[in-house]
Amino acid sequence: TSARAEATVWDPKLLQAVQERLAHYVGPMARILVQRAAQQATSPAALYRHLAEHLSTAQEKSRFLRDSGLSA
């Protein structure tokens, strides 16, 4: 089975919300980062954690995860 066949199907509204939240930190790059992360992540928590790795400081990562309903 190929990785493409096992890809997670994401709700476009969720991805849009994640993109908007991430854009507060990284600007327009958020769209590309979310698209790439969505191809790899298998759950919303994994998606947020993957995206948090693109943030510059531990404080930003912690705030992004907390605002997303996760603990850092």
Side-chain angles (χ1 to χ4, degrees):
T1 307
S2 71
R4 180 62 83 196
E6 297 173 9
T8 302
V9 177
W10 294 99
D11 179 348
K13 291 179 183 179
L14 172 67
L15 294 180
Q16 182 65 34
V18 173
Q19 179 182 320
E20 290 172 5
R21 183 168 289 133
L22 186 63
H24 291 286
Y25 300 93
V26 299
M29 281 297 294
R31 183 175 64 84
I32 294 167
L33 294 173
V34 169
Q35 288 174 350
R36 289 180 181 168
Q39 293 174 356
Q40 299 174 357
T42 57
S43 70
L47 179 68
Y48 282 111
R49 291 188 194 288
H50 182 80
L51 291 168
E53 294 303 314
H54 293 282
L55 302 179
S56 301
T57 67
Q59 183 179 12
E60 286 181 340
K61 290 176 185 181
S62 178
R63 188 178 330 130
F64 177 73
L65 291 172
R66 185 178 62 246
D67 292 348
S68 303
L70 303 172
S71 57

